[in-house]
Amino acid sequence: WVQVLALAGLQGAITLTWVVYNLYLPKLLTQFGFPASLAAVLLVLECALGVVSEPVMGGLSDQAVHWAGSRFPFISVGVILASSLFIAIPCVVVFVPPREIIRGILPLVLIAWALAMTVFRTPAISLLEKYAAPEQLPLAASFITLAGGIAGSFRDIGNTFIVELGPVVAFSTASFVLLGAGFALRFFNPPATPVDPENVEISKIPKISEIPNILIAKLGLIVITGFSLAWGSRLLMDAIGKNLKAQLNTDDITSIMVVIAVALALAALPAGFIA
Protein backbone atom coordinates (compact mmCIF):
# COMPACT_ATOMS: atom_id res chain seq x y z
CA TRP A 1 0.00 0.00 0.00
CA VAL A 2 2.98 2.33 0.41
CA GLN A 3 3.74 1.88 -3.29
CA VAL A 4 0.08 2.49 -4.14
CA LEU A 5 0.10 5.75 -2.17
CA ALA A 6 3.33 6.82 -3.90
CA LEU A 7 1.69 6.13 -7.26
CA ALA A 8 -1.37 8.10 -6.13
CA GLY A 9 0.95 10.98 -5.24
CA LEU A 10 2.35 10.95 -8.78
CA GLN A 11 -1.18 11.06 -10.20
CA GLY A 12 -1.96 14.01 -7.94
CA ALA A 13 1.18 15.79 -9.15
CA ILE A 14 0.24 15.16 -12.77
CA THR A 15 -3.22 16.64 -12.17
CA LEU A 16 -1.72 19.64 -10.35
CA THR A 17 0.55 20.48 -13.30
CA TRP A 18 -2.43 20.40 -15.67
CA VAL A 19 -4.42 22.64 -13.28
CA VAL A 20 -1.61 25.23 -13.27
CA TYR A 21 -1.18 24.87 -17.03
CA ASN A 22 -4.88 25.45 -17.79
CA LEU A 23 -5.07 28.45 -15.45
CA TYR A 24 -2.09 30.24 -17.02
CA LEU A 25 -2.22 29.15 -20.66
CA PRO A 26 -4.45 31.95 -22.06
CA LYS A 27 -2.55 34.60 -20.09
CA LEU A 28 0.86 33.34 -21.25
CA LEU A 29 -0.26 33.20 -24.87
CA THR A 30 -1.59 36.76 -24.87
CA GLN A 31 1.52 38.00 -23.08
CA PHE A 32 3.62 36.47 -25.87
CA GLY A 33 1.52 38.05 -28.60
CA PHE A 34 -0.89 35.20 -29.41
CA PRO A 35 -4.70 35.37 -29.19
CA ALA A 36 -6.25 33.77 -26.09
CA SER A 37 -8.39 31.58 -28.38
CA LEU A 38 -5.24 29.68 -29.33
CA ALA A 39 -5.39 28.01 -25.89
CA ALA A 40 -8.42 25.92 -26.87
CA VAL A 41 -6.74 24.85 -30.12
CA LEU A 42 -3.57 23.81 -28.29
CA LEU A 43 -5.49 21.84 -25.66
CA VAL A 44 -7.42 19.92 -28.33
CA LEU A 45 -4.20 19.23 -30.25
CA GLU A 46 -2.39 18.08 -27.09
CA CYS A 47 -5.25 15.76 -26.15
CA ALA A 48 -5.28 14.31 -29.68
CA LEU A 49 -1.52 13.71 -29.54
CA GLY A 50 -1.97 12.09 -26.12
CA VAL A 51 -4.56 9.66 -27.50
CA VAL A 52 -1.95 8.44 -29.97
CA SER A 53 1.25 8.67 -27.92
CA GLU A 54 0.07 7.17 -24.60
CA PRO A 55 -0.67 3.69 -26.04
CA VAL A 56 2.64 3.85 -27.92
CA MET A 57 4.55 4.70 -24.74
CA GLY A 58 2.69 1.95 -22.91
CA GLY A 59 3.75 -0.58 -25.54
CA LEU A 60 7.35 0.62 -25.49
CA SER A 61 7.43 0.40 -21.70
CA ASP A 62 6.23 -3.21 -21.98
CA GLN A 63 9.26 -3.89 -24.14
CA ALA A 64 11.50 -2.04 -21.67
CA VAL A 65 10.59 -4.63 -19.03
CA HIS A 66 12.33 -7.25 -21.19
CA TRP A 67 15.48 -5.38 -22.19
CA ALA A 68 15.92 -3.21 -19.06
CA GLY A 69 14.05 -5.25 -16.45
CA SER A 70 11.94 -2.25 -15.40
CA ARG A 71 9.58 0.45 -16.64
CA PHE A 72 11.45 3.10 -14.68
CA PRO A 73 13.74 4.21 -17.53
CA PHE A 74 10.61 5.58 -19.23
CA ILE A 75 9.17 6.95 -16.01
CA SER A 76 12.38 8.64 -14.82
CA VAL A 77 13.26 10.18 -18.19
CA GLY A 78 9.67 11.30 -18.73
CA VAL A 79 9.33 12.93 -15.31
CA ILE A 80 12.66 14.78 -15.62
CA LEU A 81 11.90 15.91 -19.18
CA ALA A 82 8.35 17.02 -18.33
CA SER A 83 9.51 18.90 -15.21
CA SER A 84 12.25 20.70 -17.15
CA LEU A 85 9.93 21.71 -19.98
CA PHE A 86 7.27 22.82 -17.50
CA ILE A 87 9.69 25.29 -15.90
CA ALA A 88 10.78 26.39 -19.39
CA ILE A 89 7.23 27.46 -20.34
CA PRO A 90 7.04 30.61 -18.15
CA CYS A 91 10.76 31.28 -18.64
CA VAL A 92 10.21 31.58 -22.40
CA VAL A 93 7.40 34.10 -21.84
CA VAL A 94 9.19 36.14 -19.15
CA PHE A 95 12.77 36.17 -20.42
CA VAL A 96 12.48 35.81 -24.22
CA PRO A 97 11.40 38.88 -26.21
CA PRO A 98 8.26 38.05 -28.24
CA ARG A 99 9.71 38.86 -31.65
CA GLU A 100 7.96 37.62 -34.75
CA ILE A 101 10.83 35.32 -35.71
CA ILE A 102 10.92 33.42 -32.40
CA ARG A 103 7.26 33.60 -31.38
CA GLY A 104 6.75 30.04 -32.59
CA ILE A 105 9.03 28.71 -29.85
CA LEU A 106 6.28 28.96 -27.22
CA PRO A 107 3.73 26.68 -28.93
CA LEU A 108 6.54 24.19 -29.63
CA VAL A 109 7.54 24.13 -25.94
CA LEU A 110 3.89 23.71 -24.92
CA ILE A 111 3.34 20.77 -27.25
CA ALA A 112 6.69 19.24 -26.29
CA TRP A 113 5.69 19.39 -22.60
CA ALA A 114 2.34 17.75 -23.27
CA LEU A 115 4.09 14.95 -25.17
CA ALA A 116 6.66 14.54 -22.37
CA MET A 117 3.79 14.03 -19.91
CA THR A 118 2.56 11.10 -22.00
CA VAL A 119 5.97 9.40 -21.84
CA PHE A 120 5.66 8.33 -18.22
CA ARG A 121 1.97 8.44 -17.28
CA THR A 122 0.92 5.13 -18.83
CA PRO A 123 4.04 3.20 -17.70
CA ALA A 124 3.59 4.60 -14.18
CA ILE A 125 -0.11 3.77 -13.86
CA SER A 126 0.55 0.25 -15.17
CA LEU A 127 2.68 -0.35 -12.04
CA LEU A 128 -0.59 -0.67 -10.14
CA GLU A 129 -0.83 -4.27 -11.34
CA LYS A 130 2.53 -4.91 -9.68
CA TYR A 131 1.67 -3.15 -6.44
CA ALA A 132 -1.78 -4.64 -5.75
CA ALA A 133 -3.23 -8.15 -5.88
CA PRO A 134 -5.87 -8.67 -8.61
CA GLU A 135 -8.76 -8.72 -6.15
CA GLN A 136 -7.52 -5.42 -4.64
CA LEU A 137 -7.03 -3.53 -7.91
CA PRO A 138 -10.35 -1.60 -7.68
CA LEU A 139 -9.55 -0.39 -4.17
CA ALA A 140 -5.97 0.44 -5.13
CA ALA A 141 -7.18 2.33 -8.21
CA SER A 142 -9.60 4.30 -6.03
CA PHE A 143 -6.60 5.93 -4.31
CA ILE A 144 -5.38 7.06 -7.74
CA THR A 145 -8.81 8.56 -8.42
CA LEU A 146 -8.86 10.18 -4.99
CA ALA A 147 -5.48 11.87 -5.48
CA GLY A 148 -6.41 13.15 -8.92
CA GLY A 149 -9.77 14.42 -7.66
CA ILE A 150 -8.29 16.25 -4.67
CA ALA A 151 -5.60 17.89 -6.83
CA GLY A 152 -8.21 18.75 -9.47
CA SER A 153 -10.33 20.57 -6.87
CA PHE A 154 -7.60 23.24 -6.76
CA ARG A 155 -8.91 24.30 -10.16
CA ASP A 156 -11.65 26.21 -8.31
CA ILE A 157 -10.44 26.84 -4.77
CA GLY A 158 -6.86 27.64 -5.75
CA ASN A 159 -7.66 29.73 -8.80
CA THR A 160 -6.95 33.10 -7.22
CA PHE A 161 -4.09 31.84 -5.04
CA ILE A 162 -2.26 30.09 -7.89
CA VAL A 163 -2.62 33.06 -10.24
CA GLU A 164 -1.32 35.44 -7.55
CA LEU A 165 1.88 33.39 -7.26
CA GLY A 166 2.96 34.40 -10.74
CA PRO A 167 3.81 32.04 -13.60
CA VAL A 168 7.44 31.36 -12.69
CA VAL A 169 6.68 30.46 -9.06
CA ALA A 170 3.54 28.47 -9.87
CA PHE A 171 5.14 26.46 -12.68
CA SER A 172 8.32 25.88 -10.69
CA THR A 173 6.39 24.69 -7.63
CA ALA A 174 4.30 22.26 -9.67
CA SER A 175 7.43 21.06 -11.45
CA PHE A 176 9.26 20.31 -8.18
CA VAL A 177 6.15 18.56 -6.83
CA LEU A 178 6.17 16.35 -9.94
CA LEU A 179 9.89 15.62 -9.51
CA GLY A 180 9.38 14.80 -5.83
CA ALA A 181 6.49 12.47 -6.61
CA GLY A 182 8.56 10.69 -9.25
CA PHE A 183 11.46 10.31 -6.81
CA ALA A 184 9.13 8.95 -4.10
CA LEU A 185 7.69 6.41 -6.52
CA ARG A 186 11.19 5.26 -7.47
CA PHE A 187 12.31 5.17 -3.82
CA PHE A 188 9.42 3.01 -2.63
CA ASN A 189 9.36 0.77 -5.69
CA PRO A 190 10.34 -2.76 -4.60
CA PRO A 191 13.54 -4.09 -6.17
CA ALA A 192 13.05 -6.21 -9.25
CA THR A 193 13.79 -9.93 -9.16
CA PRO A 194 17.12 -10.63 -10.90
CA VAL A 195 16.62 -12.25 -14.28
CA ASP A 196 19.15 -13.90 -16.55
CA PRO A 197 18.90 -11.94 -19.83
CA GLU A 198 19.98 -15.02 -21.84
CA ASN A 199 16.92 -16.94 -20.66
CA VAL A 200 14.42 -14.15 -21.32
CA GLU A 201 12.37 -14.42 -24.47
CA ILE A 202 11.73 -10.94 -25.83
CA SER A 203 8.23 -10.76 -27.19
CA LYS A 204 7.51 -8.56 -30.18
CA ILE A 205 4.66 -6.10 -30.40
CA PRO A 206 1.91 -7.89 -32.36
CA LYS A 207 0.43 -6.44 -35.52
CA ILE A 208 -3.20 -5.43 -35.57
CA SER A 209 -4.00 -8.45 -37.74
CA GLU A 210 -2.45 -10.75 -35.12
CA ILE A 211 -4.57 -9.47 -32.22
CA PRO A 212 -7.59 -11.72 -31.50
CA ASN A 213 -10.97 -10.19 -32.34
CA ILE A 214 -12.22 -10.81 -28.80
CA LEU A 215 -9.35 -8.73 -27.39
CA ILE A 216 -10.04 -5.93 -29.86
CA ALA A 217 -13.71 -6.00 -28.83
CA LYS A 218 -12.79 -5.77 -25.14
CA LEU A 219 -10.36 -2.92 -25.74
CA GLY A 220 -13.00 -1.13 -27.81
CA LEU A 221 -15.49 -1.50 -24.97
CA ILE A 222 -12.97 -0.01 -22.53
CA VAL A 223 -12.33 2.92 -24.88
CA ILE A 224 -16.05 3.61 -25.30
CA THR A 225 -16.61 3.35 -21.54
CA GLY A 226 -13.77 5.76 -20.76
CA PHE A 227 -14.90 8.19 -23.43
CA SER A 228 -18.48 8.12 -22.14
CA LEU A 229 -17.46 8.56 -18.50
CA ALA A 230 -15.15 11.47 -19.34
CA TRP A 231 -17.74 13.32 -21.41
CA GLY A 232 -20.58 12.48 -19.03
CA SER A 233 -18.75 13.74 -15.95
CA ARG A 234 -17.56 16.88 -17.76
CA LEU A 235 -21.06 17.75 -18.98
CA LEU A 236 -22.60 16.86 -15.61
CA MET A 237 -20.29 19.15 -13.64
CA ASP A 238 -20.87 21.95 -16.17
CA ALA A 239 -24.65 21.49 -15.88
CA ILE A 240 -24.49 21.43 -12.07
CA GLY A 241 -22.51 24.67 -12.03
CA LYS A 242 -24.92 26.48 -14.34
CA ASN A 243 -27.97 25.24 -12.44
CA LEU A 244 -26.51 26.28 -9.09
CA LYS A 245 -25.83 29.78 -10.42
CA ALA A 246 -29.42 30.02 -11.66
CA GLN A 247 -31.00 28.58 -8.49
CA LEU A 248 -28.88 30.60 -6.04
CA ASN A 249 -28.86 33.71 -8.26
CA THR A 250 -25.11 34.19 -7.84
CA ASP A 251 -21.94 33.67 -9.86
CA ASP A 252 -19.82 32.79 -6.80
CA ILE A 253 -20.32 29.04 -6.36
CA THR A 254 -16.64 28.20 -5.93
CA SER A 255 -16.97 26.75 -2.43
CA ILE A 256 -19.97 24.61 -3.42
CA MET A 257 -18.20 23.20 -6.51
CA VAL A 258 -15.10 22.44 -4.43
CA VAL A 259 -17.22 20.51 -1.91
CA ILE A 260 -18.84 18.56 -4.75
CA ALA A 261 -15.45 17.80 -6.36
CA VAL A 262 -13.92 16.63 -3.07
CA ALA A 263 -17.02 14.54 -2.25
CA LEU A 264 -16.78 12.82 -5.64
CA ALA A 265 -13.08 12.14 -5.06
CA LEU A 266 -13.74 10.68 -1.59
CA ALA A 267 -16.57 8.54 -2.99
CA ALA A 268 -13.97 6.62 -4.98
CA LEU A 269 -12.72 4.87 -1.80
CA PRO A 270 -15.98 3.15 -0.78
CA ALA A 271 -16.72 2.45 -4.44
CA GLY A 272 -13.34 0.70 -4.78
CA PHE A 273 -13.90 -1.21 -1.56
CA ILE A 274 -17.30 -2.46 -2.72
CA ALA A 275 -15.90 -3.38 -6.13
Side-chain angles (χ1 to χ4, degrees), residues 69-94:
S70 172
R71 301 182 191 274
F72 268 95
F74 269 86
I75 298 173
S76 300
V77 171
V79 168
I80 294 172
L81 181 61
S83 299
S84 302
L85 288 171
F86 201 61
I87 294 179
I89 292 173
C91 291
V92 169
V93 176
V94 173

Side-chain angles (χ1 to χ4, degrees), residues 116-129:
M117 292 291 285
T118 67
V119 171
F120 67 91
R121 184 180 180 278
T122 302
I125 296 301
S126 67
L127 292 173
L128 195 63
E129 182 183 14

Side-chain angles (χ1 to χ4, degrees), residues 20 51 80 128 133 136 154 173 179 184 188 219 240 253 257 260 270:
V20 173
V51 169
I80 294 172
L128 195 63
Q136 294 177 327
F154 281 98
T173 301
L179 275 174
F188 290 112
L219 290 175
I240 289 176
I253 58 169
M257 295 304 295
I260 293 174

Side-chain angles (χ1 to χ4, degrees), residues 39-259:
V41 176
L42 284 172
L43 288 172
V44 171
L45 177 60
E46 289 164 354
C47 289
L49 291 174
V51 169
V52 176
S53 61
E54 287 214 13
V56 172
M57 295 304 170
L60 292 175
S61 73
D62 289 341
Q63 301 301 303
V65 175
H66 294 287
W67 51 260
S70 172
R71 301 182 191 274
F72 268 95
F74 269 86
I75 298 173
S76 300
V77 171
V79 168
I80 294 172
L81 181 61
S83 299
S84 302
L85 288 171
F86 201 61
I87 294 179
I89 292 173
C91 291
V92 169
V93 176
V94 173
F95 300 113
V96 176
R99 296 171 183 164
E100 193 68 29
I101 301 178
I102 59 176
R103 279 178 61 200
I105 190 174
L106 180 59
L108 290 177
V109 174
L110 296 174
I111 294 174
W113 171 76
L115 286 174
M117 292 291 285
T118 67
V119 171
F120 67 91
R121 184 180 180 278
T122 302
I125 296 301
S126 67
L127 292 173
L128 195 63
E129 182 183 14
K130 178 181 177 182
Y131 294 159
E135 65 274 9
Q136 294 177 327
L137 278 176
L139 181 57
S142 68
F143 283 94
I144 309 296
T145 305
L146 172 64
I150 295 296
S153 67
F154 281 98
R155 185 179 293 106
D156 296 314
I157 195 173
N159 191 338
T160 304
F161 172 72
I162 293 175
V163 171
E164 287 178 350
L165 290 176
V168 175
V169 175
F171 276 72
S172 298
T173 301
S175 178
F176 288 126
V177 169
L178 182 61
L179 275 174
F183 174 79
L185 182 64
R186 184 67 185 91
F187 180 80
F188 290 112
N189 184 65
T193 303
V195 177
D196 185 0
E198 297 181 358
N199 296 330
V200 175
E201 182 180 353
I202 301 178
S203 59
K204 64 177 182 178
I205 299 177
K207 300 178 181 178
I208 297 296
S209 58
E210 298 175 348
I211 300 177
N213 291 333
I214 184 65
L215 180 58
I216 293 178
K218 290 181 177 180
L219 290 175
L221 182 60
I222 292 174
V223 170
I224 293 173
T225 302
F227 183 83
S228 302
L229 287 172
W231 269 98
S233 60
R234 181 64 180 268
L235 294 175
L236 176 64
M237 294 300 289
D238 186 57
I240 289 176
K242 290 180 178 178
N243 276 280
L244 284 174
K245 288 180 180 180
Q247 293 292 330
L248 301 177
N249 195 24
T250 179
D251 289 332
D252 187 12
I253 58 169
T254 300
S255 58
I256 299 176
M257 295 304 295
V258 169
V259 171

